[in-house]
PDB file of all heavy atoms in Angstrom:
ATOM      1  N   ALA A   1      -8.874   6.389 -19.386  1.00 95.00           N
ATOM      2  CA  ALA A   1      -8.380   5.617 -18.254  1.00 95.00           C
ATOM      3  C   ALA A   1      -7.819   4.272 -18.695  1.00 95.00           C
ATOM      4  O   ALA A   1      -6.906   3.724 -18.055  1.00 95.00           O
ATOM      5  CB  ALA A   1      -9.502   5.409 -17.229  1.00 95.00           C
ATOM      6  N   LEU A   2      -8.342   3.719 -19.792  1.00 96.00           N
ATOM      7  CA  LEU A   2      -7.849   2.426 -20.270  1.00 96.00           C
ATOM      8  C   LEU A   2      -6.403   2.509 -20.737  1.00 96.00           C
ATOM      9  O   LEU A   2      -5.686   1.511 -20.748  1.00 96.00           O
ATOM     10  CB  LEU A   2      -8.726   1.913 -21.411  1.00 96.00           C
ATOM     11  CG  LEU A   2     -10.122   1.387 -21.044  1.00 96.00           C
ATOM     12  CD1 LEU A   2     -10.805   0.814 -22.273  1.00 96.00           C
ATOM     13  CD2 LEU A   2     -10.036   0.331 -19.957  1.00 96.00           C
ATOM     14  N   ALA A   3      -5.982   3.705 -21.131  1.00 95.00           N
ATOM     15  CA  ALA A   3      -4.648   3.852 -21.712  1.00 95.00           C
ATOM     16  C   ALA A   3      -3.535   3.744 -20.681  1.00 95.00           C
ATOM     17  O   ALA A   3      -2.445   3.257 -20.995  1.00 95.00           O
ATOM     18  CB  ALA A   3      -4.549   5.181 -22.458  1.00 95.00           C
ATOM     19  N   ASP A   4      -3.786   4.193 -19.442  1.00 96.00           N
ATOM     20  CA  ASP A   4      -2.659   4.252 -18.498  1.00 96.00           C
ATOM     21  C   ASP A   4      -2.963   3.751 -17.094  1.00 96.00           C
ATOM     22  O   ASP A   4      -2.086   3.779 -16.231  1.00 96.00           O
ATOM     23  CB  ASP A   4      -2.117   5.682 -18.418  1.00 96.00           C
ATOM     24  CG  ASP A   4      -3.147   6.693 -17.920  1.00 96.00           C
ATOM     25  OD1 ASP A   4      -4.269   6.291 -17.568  1.00 96.00           O
ATOM     26  OD2 ASP A   4      -2.818   7.898 -17.883  1.00 96.00           O
ATOM     27  N   PHE A   5      -4.189   3.280 -16.813  1.00 97.00           N
ATOM     28  CA  PHE A   5      -4.496   2.837 -15.460  1.00 97.00           C
ATOM     29  C   PHE A   5      -3.650   1.636 -15.054  1.00 97.00           C
ATOM     30  O   PHE A   5      -3.215   1.538 -13.902  1.00 97.00           O
ATOM     31  CB  PHE A   5      -5.978   2.483 -15.322  1.00 97.00           C
ATOM     32  CG  PHE A   5      -6.385   2.087 -13.923  1.00 97.00           C
ATOM     33  CD1 PHE A   5      -6.489   3.033 -12.924  1.00 97.00           C
ATOM     34  CD2 PHE A   5      -6.654   0.765 -13.623  1.00 97.00           C
ATOM     35  CE1 PHE A   5      -6.860   2.680 -11.636  1.00 97.00           C
ATOM     36  CE2 PHE A   5      -7.027   0.389 -12.329  1.00 97.00           C
ATOM     37  CZ  PHE A   5      -7.130   1.347 -11.333  1.00 97.00           C
ATOM     38  N   LYS A   6      -3.387   0.751 -15.991  1.00 97.00           N
ATOM     39  CA  LYS A   6      -2.574  -0.422 -15.665  1.00 97.00           C
ATOM     40  C   LYS A   6      -1.166  -0.006 -15.245  1.00 97.00           C
ATOM     41  O   LYS A   6      -0.628  -0.501 -14.246  1.00 97.00           O
ATOM     42  CB  LYS A   6      -2.519  -1.374 -16.864  1.00 97.00           C
ATOM     43  CG  LYS A   6      -1.719  -2.637 -16.582  1.00 97.00           C
ATOM     44  CD  LYS A   6      -1.987  -3.718 -17.610  1.00 97.00           C
ATOM     45  CE  LYS A   6      -1.434  -3.368 -18.961  1.00 97.00           C
ATOM     46  NZ  LYS A   6      -1.526  -4.505 -19.910  1.00 97.00           N
ATOM     47  N   GLN A   7      -0.582   0.927 -15.985  1.00 97.00           N
ATOM     48  CA  GLN A   7       0.783   1.364 -15.663  1.00 97.00           C
ATOM     49  C   GLN A   7       0.814   2.228 -14.404  1.00 97.00           C
ATOM     50  O   GLN A   7       1.752   2.143 -13.604  1.00 97.00           O
ATOM     51  CB  GLN A   7       1.377   2.147 -16.844  1.00 97.00           C
ATOM     52  CG  GLN A   7       1.734   1.310 -18.049  1.00 97.00           C
ATOM     53  CD  GLN A   7       0.510   0.787 -18.790  1.00 97.00           C
ATOM     54  OE1 GLN A   7      -0.540   1.446 -18.800  1.00 97.00           O
ATOM     55  NE2 GLN A   7       0.628  -0.377 -19.403  1.00 97.00           N
ATOM     56  N   ARG A   8      -0.201   3.060 -14.206  1.00 97.00           N
ATOM     57  CA  ARG A   8      -0.174   4.021 -13.101  1.00 97.00           C
ATOM     58  C   ARG A   8      -0.628   3.422 -11.778  1.00 97.00           C
ATOM     59  O   ARG A   8      -0.280   3.953 -10.719  1.00 97.00           O
ATOM     60  CB  ARG A   8      -1.039   5.237 -13.433  1.00 97.00           C
ATOM     61  CG  ARG A   8      -0.549   6.028 -14.631  1.00 97.00           C
ATOM     62  CD  ARG A   8      -1.324   7.320 -14.817  1.00 97.00           C
ATOM     63  NE  ARG A   8      -1.001   8.306 -13.787  1.00 97.00           N
ATOM     64  CZ  ARG A   8      -1.482   9.542 -13.767  1.00 97.00           C
ATOM     65  NH1 ARG A   8      -2.304   9.952 -14.734  1.00 97.00           N
ATOM     66  NH2 ARG A   8      -1.154  10.376 -12.810  1.00 97.00           N
ATOM     67  N   PHE A   9      -1.383   2.314 -11.826  1.00 97.00           N
ATOM     68  CA  PHE A   9      -1.851   1.730 -10.570  1.00 97.00           C
ATOM     69  C   PHE A   9      -1.671   0.217 -10.498  1.00 97.00           C
ATOM     70  O   PHE A   9      -1.029  -0.295  -9.577  1.00 97.00           O
ATOM     71  CB  PHE A   9      -3.318   2.064 -10.329  1.00 97.00           C
ATOM     72  CG  PHE A   9      -3.834   1.503  -9.029  1.00 97.00           C
ATOM     73  CD1 PHE A   9      -3.528   2.123  -7.824  1.00 97.00           C
ATOM     74  CD2 PHE A   9      -4.601   0.345  -8.999  1.00 97.00           C
ATOM     75  CE1 PHE A   9      -3.968   1.594  -6.619  1.00 97.00           C
ATOM     76  CE2 PHE A   9      -5.057  -0.193  -7.808  1.00 97.00           C
ATOM     77  CZ  PHE A   9      -4.741   0.441  -6.607  1.00 97.00           C
ATOM     78  N   LEU A  10      -2.205  -0.510 -11.472  1.00 97.00           N
ATOM     79  CA  LEU A  10      -2.223  -1.971 -11.345  1.00 97.00           C
ATOM     80  C   LEU A  10      -0.835  -2.585 -11.251  1.00 97.00           C
ATOM     81  O   LEU A  10      -0.635  -3.575 -10.536  1.00 97.00           O
ATOM     82  CB  LEU A  10      -2.979  -2.573 -12.536  1.00 97.00           C
ATOM     83  CG  LEU A  10      -4.462  -2.220 -12.645  1.00 97.00           C
ATOM     84  CD1 LEU A  10      -5.071  -2.866 -13.881  1.00 97.00           C
ATOM     85  CD2 LEU A  10      -5.218  -2.642 -11.392  1.00 97.00           C
ATOM     86  N   LEU A  11       0.116  -2.012 -11.957  1.00 97.00           N
ATOM     87  CA  LEU A  11       1.482  -2.548 -11.939  1.00 97.00           C
ATOM     88  C   LEU A  11       2.390  -1.827 -10.956  1.00 97.00           C
ATOM     89  O   LEU A  11       3.594  -2.111 -10.899  1.00 97.00           O
ATOM     90  CB  LEU A  11       2.087  -2.478 -13.350  1.00 97.00           C
ATOM     91  CG  LEU A  11       1.366  -3.313 -14.415  1.00 97.00           C
ATOM     92  CD1 LEU A  11       2.007  -3.106 -15.781  1.00 97.00           C
ATOM     93  CD2 LEU A  11       1.375  -4.794 -14.040  1.00 97.00           C
ATOM     94  N   ARG A  12       1.832  -0.929 -10.182  1.00 96.00           N
ATOM     95  CA  ARG A  12       2.605  -0.192  -9.187  1.00 96.00           C
ATOM     96  C   ARG A  12       2.442  -0.809  -7.804  1.00 96.00           C
ATOM     97  O   ARG A  12       1.523  -1.598  -7.557  1.00 96.00           O
ATOM     98  CB  ARG A  12       2.149   1.274  -9.148  1.00 96.00           C
ATOM     99  CG  ARG A  12       2.373   2.041 -10.433  1.00 96.00           C
ATOM    100  CD  ARG A  12       3.858   2.290 -10.688  1.00 96.00           C
ATOM    101  NE  ARG A  12       4.479   2.998  -9.598  1.00 96.00           N
ATOM    102  CZ  ARG A  12       4.428   4.338  -9.437  1.00 96.00           C
ATOM    103  NH1 ARG A  12       3.769   5.085 -10.317  1.00 96.00           N
ATOM    104  NH2 ARG A  12       5.033   4.916  -8.434  1.00 96.00           N
ATOM    105  N   ASN A  13       3.302  -0.421  -6.897  1.00 94.00           N
ATOM    106  CA  ASN A  13       3.222  -0.854  -5.505  1.00 94.00           C
ATOM    107  C   ASN A  13       2.532   0.237  -4.700  1.00 94.00           C
ATOM    108  O   ASN A  13       3.152   1.174  -4.222  1.00 94.00           O
ATOM    109  CB  ASN A  13       4.615  -1.124  -4.949  1.00 94.00           C
ATOM    110  CG  ASN A  13       4.591  -1.481  -3.458  1.00 94.00           C
ATOM    111  OD1 ASN A  13       3.533  -1.823  -2.916  1.00 94.00           O
ATOM    112  ND2 ASN A  13       5.740  -1.414  -2.812  1.00 94.00           N
ATOM    113  N   ALA A  14       1.216   0.117  -4.555  1.00 93.00           N
ATOM    114  CA  ALA A  14       0.455   1.129  -3.810  1.00 93.00           C
ATOM    115  C   ALA A  14       0.635   0.992  -2.306  1.00 93.00           C
ATOM    116  O   ALA A  14       0.104   1.808  -1.552  1.00 93.00           O
ATOM    117  CB  ALA A  14      -1.029   1.038  -4.167  1.00 93.00           C
ATOM    118  N   GLU A  15       1.374  -0.026  -1.873  1.00 90.00           N
ATOM    119  CA  GLU A  15       1.699  -0.166  -0.449  1.00 90.00           C
ATOM    120  C   GLU A  15       2.987   0.569  -0.094  1.00 90.00           C
ATOM    121  O   GLU A  15       3.426   0.535   1.060  1.00 90.00           O
ATOM    122  CB  GLU A  15       1.820  -1.645  -0.088  1.00 90.00           C
ATOM    123  CG  GLU A  15       0.525  -2.415  -0.219  1.00 90.00           C
ATOM    124  CD  GLU A  15       0.679  -3.882   0.142  1.00 90.00           C
ATOM    125  OE1 GLU A  15       1.744  -4.245   0.689  1.00 90.00           O
ATOM    126  OE2 GLU A  15      -0.249  -4.660  -0.123  1.00 90.00           O
ATOM    127  N   GLU A  16       3.554   1.228  -1.066  1.00 89.00           N
ATOM    128  CA  GLU A  16       4.801   1.967  -0.854  1.00 89.00           C
ATOM    129  C   GLU A  16       4.620   3.006   0.251  1.00 89.00           C
ATOM    130  O   GLU A  16       3.717   3.837   0.203  1.00 89.00           O
ATOM    131  CB  GLU A  16       5.198   2.655  -2.158  1.00 89.00           C
ATOM    132  CG  GLU A  16       6.530   3.376  -2.121  1.00 89.00           C
ATOM    133  CD  GLU A  16       6.844   4.023  -3.462  1.00 89.00           C
ATOM    134  OE1 GLU A  16       5.962   4.020  -4.347  1.00 89.00           O
ATOM    135  OE2 GLU A  16       7.961   4.525  -3.606  1.00 89.00           O
ATOM    136  N   GLY A  17       5.472   2.936   1.262  1.00 83.00           N
ATOM    137  CA  GLY A  17       5.392   3.872   2.375  1.00 83.00           C
ATOM    138  C   GLY A  17       4.413   3.472   3.457  1.00 83.00           C
ATOM    139  O   GLY A  17       4.354   4.121   4.511  1.00 83.00           O
ATOM    140  N   LEU A  18       3.641   2.413   3.246  1.00 79.00           N
ATOM    141  CA  LEU A  18       2.677   1.952   4.249  1.00 79.00           C
ATOM    142  C   LEU A  18       3.286   0.855   5.112  1.00 79.00           C
ATOM    143  O   LEU A  18       4.176   0.122   4.673  1.00 79.00           O
ATOM    144  CB  LEU A  18       1.412   1.419   3.575  1.00 79.00           C
ATOM    145  CG  LEU A  18       0.629   2.406   2.717  1.00 79.00           C
ATOM    146  CD1 LEU A  18      -0.543   1.706   2.043  1.00 79.00           C
ATOM    147  CD2 LEU A  18       0.136   3.577   3.557  1.00 79.00           C
ATOM    148  N   GLN A  19       2.811   0.750   6.327  1.00 70.00           N
ATOM    149  CA  GLN A  19       3.207  -0.321   7.240  1.00 70.00           C
ATOM    150  C   GLN A  19       2.129  -1.392   7.206  1.00 70.00           C
ATOM    151  O   GLN A  19       1.035  -1.202   7.719  1.00 70.00           O
ATOM    152  CB  GLN A  19       3.385   0.231   8.663  1.00 70.00           C
ATOM    153  CG  GLN A  19       4.467   1.278   8.810  1.00 70.00           C
ATOM    154  CD  GLN A  19       5.851   0.695   8.565  1.00 70.00           C
ATOM    155  OE1 GLN A  19       6.136  -0.449   8.936  1.00 70.00           O
ATOM    156  NE2 GLN A  19       6.712   1.477   7.933  1.00 70.00           N
ATOM    157  N   MET A  20       2.421  -2.527   6.587  1.00 62.00           N
ATOM    158  CA  MET A  20       1.408  -3.553   6.384  1.00 62.00           C
ATOM    159  C   MET A  20       1.702  -4.848   7.135  1.00 62.00           C
ATOM    160  O   MET A  20       0.937  -5.802   7.024  1.00 62.00           O
ATOM    161  CB  MET A  20       1.276  -3.864   4.880  1.00 62.00           C
ATOM    162  CG  MET A  20       1.057  -2.629   4.017  1.00 62.00           C
ATOM    163  SD  MET A  20      -0.370  -1.638   4.506  1.00 62.00           S
ATOM    164  CE  MET A  20      -1.709  -2.638   3.902  1.00 62.00           C
ATOM    165  N   ASP A  21       2.780  -4.908   7.890  1.00 66.00           N
ATOM    166  CA  ASP A  21       3.069  -6.127   8.642  1.00 66.00           C
ATOM    167  C   ASP A  21       2.440  -6.044  10.028  1.00 66.00           C
ATOM    168  O   ASP A  21       2.029  -4.974  10.481  1.00 66.00           O
ATOM    169  CB  ASP A  21       4.578  -6.336   8.771  1.00 66.00           C
ATOM    170  CG  ASP A  21       5.210  -5.299   9.680  1.00 66.00           C
ATOM    171  OD1 ASP A  21       5.407  -4.158   9.203  1.00 66.00           O
ATOM    172  OD2 ASP A  21       5.478  -5.607  10.857  1.00 66.00           O
ATOM    173  N   LEU A  22       2.362  -7.174  10.707  1.00 59.00           N
ATOM    174  CA  LEU A  22       1.735  -7.232  12.025  1.00 59.00           C
ATOM    175  C   LEU A  22       2.761  -7.510  13.115  1.00 59.00           C
ATOM    176  O   LEU A  22       2.610  -8.422  13.921  1.00 59.00           O
ATOM    177  CB  LEU A  22       0.633  -8.293  12.034  1.00 59.00           C
ATOM    178  CG  LEU A  22      -0.617  -7.922  11.223  1.00 59.00           C
ATOM    179  CD1 LEU A  22      -1.628  -9.041  11.271  1.00 59.00           C
ATOM    180  CD2 LEU A  22      -1.226  -6.637  11.746  1.00 59.00           C
ATOM    181  N   GLY A  23       3.843  -6.715  13.112  1.00 59.00           N
ATOM    182  CA  GLY A  23       4.789  -6.781  14.208  1.00 59.00           C
ATOM    183  C   GLY A  23       4.215  -6.163  15.471  1.00 59.00           C
ATOM    184  O   GLY A  23       3.137  -5.569  15.472  1.00 59.00           O
ATOM    185  N   LEU A  24       4.947  -6.281  16.571  1.00 54.00           N
ATOM    186  CA  LEU A  24       4.431  -5.817  17.858  1.00 54.00           C
ATOM    187  C   LEU A  24       4.119  -4.323  17.850  1.00 54.00           C
ATOM    188  O   LEU A  24       3.082  -3.886  18.355  1.00 54.00           O
ATOM    189  CB  LEU A  24       5.436  -6.120  18.961  1.00 54.00           C
ATOM    190  CG  LEU A  24       5.621  -7.613  19.321  1.00 54.00           C
ATOM    191  CD1 LEU A  24       6.652  -7.748  20.423  1.00 54.00           C
ATOM    192  CD2 LEU A  24       4.301  -8.224  19.741  1.00 54.00           C
ATOM    193  N   MET A  25       5.003  -3.536  17.262  1.00 62.00           N
ATOM    194  CA  MET A  25       4.781  -2.101  17.266  1.00 62.00           C
ATOM    195  C   MET A  25       3.559  -1.731  16.431  1.00 62.00           C
ATOM    196  O   MET A  25       2.774  -0.848  16.802  1.00 62.00           O
ATOM    197  CB  MET A  25       6.017  -1.370  16.729  1.00 62.00           C
ATOM    198  CG  MET A  25       5.933   0.144  16.858  1.00 62.00           C
ATOM    199  SD  MET A  25       5.787   0.684  18.585  1.00 62.00           S
ATOM    200  CE  MET A  25       7.437   0.317  19.170  1.00 62.00           C
ATOM    201  N   ASN A  26       3.388  -2.409  15.311  1.00 57.00           N
ATOM    202  CA  ASN A  26       2.228  -2.113  14.481  1.00 57.00           C
ATOM    203  C   ASN A  26       0.928  -2.558  15.141  1.00 57.00           C
ATOM    204  O   ASN A  26      -0.109  -1.902  14.982  1.00 57.00           O
ATOM    205  CB  ASN A  26       2.374  -2.770  13.108  1.00 57.00           C
ATOM    206  CG  ASN A  26       3.275  -1.969  12.183  1.00 57.00           C
ATOM    207  OD1 ASN A  26       3.580  -0.804  12.465  1.00 57.00           O
ATOM    208  ND2 ASN A  26       3.716  -2.573  11.101  1.00 57.00           N
ATOM    209  N   ILE A  27       0.980  -3.672  15.870  1.00 57.00           N
ATOM    210  CA  ILE A  27      -0.208  -4.085  16.622  1.00 57.00           C
ATOM    211  C   ILE A  27      -0.560  -3.009  17.646  1.00 57.00           C
ATOM    212  O   ILE A  27      -1.728  -2.662  17.850  1.00 57.00           O
ATOM    213  CB  ILE A  27       0.021  -5.430  17.327  1.00 57.00           C
ATOM    214  CG1 ILE A  27       0.054  -6.561  16.301  1.00 57.00           C
ATOM    215  CG2 ILE A  27      -1.072  -5.691  18.346  1.00 57.00           C
ATOM    216  CD1 ILE A  27      -1.287  -6.850  15.650  1.00 57.00           C
ATOM    217  N   ALA A  28       0.464  -2.454  18.281  1.00 55.00           N
ATOM    218  CA  ALA A  28       0.215  -1.402  19.258  1.00 55.00           C
ATOM    219  C   ALA A  28      -0.424  -0.186  18.603  1.00 55.00           C
ATOM    220  O   ALA A  28      -1.366   0.411  19.143  1.00 55.00           O
ATOM    221  CB  ALA A  28       1.530  -1.003  19.940  1.00 55.00           C
ATOM    222  N   ARG A  29       0.073   0.188  17.425  1.00 60.00           N
ATOM    223  CA  ARG A  29      -0.528   1.316  16.707  1.00 60.00           C
ATOM    224  C   ARG A  29      -1.959   0.988  16.299  1.00 60.00           C
ATOM    225  O   ARG A  29      -2.837   1.849  16.331  1.00 60.00           O
ATOM    226  CB  ARG A  29       0.314   1.657  15.477  1.00 60.00           C
ATOM    227  CG  ARG A  29       1.671   2.269  15.803  1.00 60.00           C
ATOM    228  CD  ARG A  29       2.464   2.519  14.535  1.00 60.00           C
ATOM    229  NE  ARG A  29       1.821   3.518  13.691  1.00 60.00           N
ATOM    230  CZ  ARG A  29       1.997   4.831  13.819  1.00 60.00           C
ATOM    231  NH1 ARG A  29       2.783   5.303  14.771  1.00 60.00           N
ATOM    232  NH2 ARG A  29       1.391   5.674  13.007  1.00 60.00           N
ATOM    233  N   GLY A  30      -2.185  -0.257  15.915  1.00 57.00           N
ATOM    234  CA  GLY A  30      -3.529  -0.659  15.556  1.00 57.00           C
ATOM    235  C   GLY A  30      -4.493  -0.535  16.720  1.00 57.00           C
ATOM    236  O   GLY A  30      -5.648  -0.133  16.554  1.00 57.00           O
ATOM    237  N   LEU A  31      -4.026  -0.851  17.928  1.00 62.00           N
ATOM    238  CA  LEU A  31      -4.873  -0.731  19.108  1.00 62.00           C
ATOM    239  C   LEU A  31      -5.215   0.722  19.407  1.00 62.00           C
ATOM    240  O   LEU A  31      -6.234   1.019  20.037  1.00 62.00           O
ATOM    241  CB  LEU A  31      -4.172  -1.351  20.324  1.00 62.00           C
ATOM    242  CG  LEU A  31      -4.012  -2.886  20.310  1.00 62.00           C
ATOM    243  CD1 LEU A  31      -3.222  -3.345  21.513  1.00 62.00           C
ATOM    244  CD2 LEU A  31      -5.373  -3.565  20.268  1.00 62.00           C
ATOM    245  N   GLN A  32      -4.373   1.632  18.940  1.00 63.00           N
ATOM    246  CA  GLN A  32      -4.649   3.045  19.149  1.00 63.00           C
ATOM    247  C   GLN A  32      -5.562   3.644  18.080  1.00 63.00           C
ATOM    248  O   GLN A  32      -5.981   4.784  18.211  1.00 63.00           O
ATOM    249  CB  GLN A  32      -3.342   3.836  19.182  1.00 63.00           C
ATOM    250  CG  GLN A  32      -2.530   3.622  20.458  1.00 63.00           C
ATOM    251  CD  GLN A  32      -1.354   4.569  20.510  1.00 63.00           C
ATOM    252  OE1 GLN A  32      -0.475   4.504  19.668  1.00 63.00           O
ATOM    253  NE2 GLN A  32      -1.359   5.470  21.469  1.00 63.00           N
TER     254      GLN A  32
END
């Protein structure tokens, strides 16, 4: 795991494809 964890996770964007902002629509989804 020491050989590639940094490249495969630590230096990657694991938020890719996720909605992480708190706009109105996302707040609405959060309430659901």
Side-chain angles (χ1 to χ4, degrees):
L2 287 185
D4 61 4
F5 183 73
K6 182 164 69 172
Q7 288 71 31
R8 297 187 71 176
F9 181 78
L10 296 179
L11 297 177
R12 297 290 303 278
N13 176 17
E15 295 180 11
E16 184 180 7
L18 299 176
Q19 298 294 323
M20 308 304 285
D21 69 282
L22 289 179
L24 290 180
M25 187 61 71
N26 280 346
I27 288 291
R29 290 177 65 86
L31 291 176
Q32 287 188 297

